[in-house]
């Protein structure tokens, strides 16, 4: 991310800390499914070390520690304040943008949920992962694909993330150094009573950090009417989520 955009996203997530855990049920659901997918294909539940980037308030950290035996945990997030909300023990916390901070070396599990999409160049970070995995190490990662918030995209909103990525791009970025075991994407919809409720949901989860400018009342009215006209079904409006999961290992 550029410094200005990075700062905006940081501030947006920091403002939403008090509401994020309660509001971010899709992210929690996606993280728990990522853990289940890892358990289905990984032959061990014991890891010497875990590096999780974009840990947020622990939606992935906690189910990983519930399902696995992890000796040493190192966490990262853009917002350093989230460290106080992590409910499991960790050895170190690295605050800052993951592409700009120093990573631990030779970890045998790198994990992340709902974070990679915030990078301007997610492919580059994916290529970097193998350098920091120990031999026979594992990667468990979820992000979002190009249909994420498709309704907002159709209405010209810039509130989404810059790094939505397809499964084909993920495979291309990883296949030279890692063996991809499980790679899949899909969509589901959340339904709201009004477009205003959609915007409230985005604000409470901090994912509107890239949105530019302030809206006037007229802007809000026009956006709401367009949202209803194009997407309403039986008096309610949808918001599409497009999670993508990948599990890979280092030969």
């Amino acid at each position: 991310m550029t410094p200005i955009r990075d700062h905006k996203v940081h501030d947006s997530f920091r403002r939403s800390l008090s509401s994020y855990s309660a509001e971010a049920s899709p992210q929690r659901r996606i993280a728990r499914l990522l853990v289940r997918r890892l358990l289905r294909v990984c032959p061990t539940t014991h890891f010497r070390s875990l590096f999780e980037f974009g840990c947020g308030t622990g939606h992935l950290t906690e189910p990983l520690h519930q399902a696995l035996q992890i000796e040493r945990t190192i966490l990262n997030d853009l917002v350093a304040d989230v460290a106080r909300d992590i409910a499991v023990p960790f050895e170190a916390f690295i605050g800052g943008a993951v592409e700009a901070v120093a990573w631990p070396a030779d970890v045998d599990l790198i994990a992340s949920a709902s974070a990679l999409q915030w990078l301007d160049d997610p492919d580059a970070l994916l290529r970097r992962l193998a350098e920091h995995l120990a031999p026979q190490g594992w990667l468990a990662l979820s992000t979002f694909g190009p249909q994420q918030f498709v309704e907002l995209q159709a209405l010209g909103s810039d509130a989404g993330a810059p790094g939505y990525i397809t499964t084909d791009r993920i495979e291309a970025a990883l296949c030279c150094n890692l063996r991809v075991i499980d790679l899949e994407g899909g969509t589901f919809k959340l339904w709201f009573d009004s477009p205003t409720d959609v915007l409230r949901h985005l604000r409470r989860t901090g994912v509107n950090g890239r949105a530019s400018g302030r809206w006037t009342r007229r802007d809000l009215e026009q956006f709401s009417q367009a949202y209803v006209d194009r997407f309403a079904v039986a008096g309610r409006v949808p918001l599409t989520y497009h999670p993508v999961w990948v599990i890979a290992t280092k030969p």
Side-chain angles (χ1 to χ4, degrees), residues 126-228:
L126 288 169
R127 290 191 294 268
R128 184 182 172 190
L129 293 170
E131 301 172 13
H132 295 267
L133 268 179
Q136 287 76 57
W138 285 79
L139 166 70
L141 184 148
S142 71
T143 185
F144 292 107
Q147 296 304 304
Q148 178 78 354
F149 299 162
V150 65
E151 298 85 0
L152 300 177
Q153 295 182 48
L155 296 177
S157 170
D158 59 358
Y164 297 143
I165 190 169
T166 64
T167 53
D168 288 344
R169 280 175 57 191
I170 292 175
E171 186 168 31
L174 295 177
C175 67
C176 292
N177 300 301
L178 299 179
R179 183 163 64 95
V180 176
I181 306 295
D182 183 17
L183 177 60
E184 187 176 350
T187 62
F188 64 89
K189 296 181 186 294
L190 296 186
W191 290 89
F192 299 87
D193 291 334
S194 71
T196 302
D197 291 328
V198 173
L199 296 177
R200 186 177 296 112
H201 168 73
L202 297 174
R203 184 173 67 253
R204 287 177 174 173
T205 55
V207 300
N208 60 341
R210 293 177 71 245
S212 58
R214 292 182 175 274
W215 283 11
T216 65
R217 179 177 294 182
R218 180 173 176 80
D219 292 333
L220 178 58
E221 290 173 351
Q222 290 178 338
F223 169 83
S224 297
Q225 190 59 56
Y227 207 121
V228 168

Side-chain angles (χ1 to χ4, degrees), residues 11-128:
D11 287 351
S12 181
F13 277 112
R14 190 175 187 277
R15 285 192 300 268
S16 71
L17 283 181
S18 62
S19 58
Y20 182 86
S21 292
E23 189 73 25
S25 58
Q27 288 85 349
R28 187 182 304 108
R29 166 182 170 184
I30 291 163
R32 292 187 180 278
L33 182 54
L34 176 64
V35 175
R36 291 199 295 271
R37 298 181 84 102
L38 175 64
L39 291 173
R40 283 203 296 264
V41 298
C42 184
T44 183
T45 57
H46 180 266
F47 292 91
R48 290 178 293 103
S49 54
L50 160 68
F51 174 54
E52 182 189 348
F53 64 90
C55 66
T57 56
H59 283 166
L60 177 61
T61 320
E62 293 177 19
L64 281 173
H65 277 259
Q66 290 166 358
L68 306 173
Q69 293 175 290
I70 301 170
E71 297 179 19
R72 175 173 175 254
T73 296
I74 301 170
L75 302 175
N76 155 263
D77 198 82
L78 180 64
V79 182
D81 289 354
V82 301
R84 65 174 185 249
D85 296 319
I86 303 297
V88 300
F90 55 89
E91 178 177 295
F93 184 93
I94 305 170
V98 64
E99 67 271 39
V101 301
W103 290 22
D106 293 324
V107 294
D108 53 358
L109 176 60
I110 295 177
S112 180
S114 304
L116 185 71
Q117 71 277 3
W118 290 107
L119 278 64
D120 289 311
D121 190 355
D123 309 74
L125 192 86
L126 288 169
R127 290 191 294 268
R128 184 182 172 190

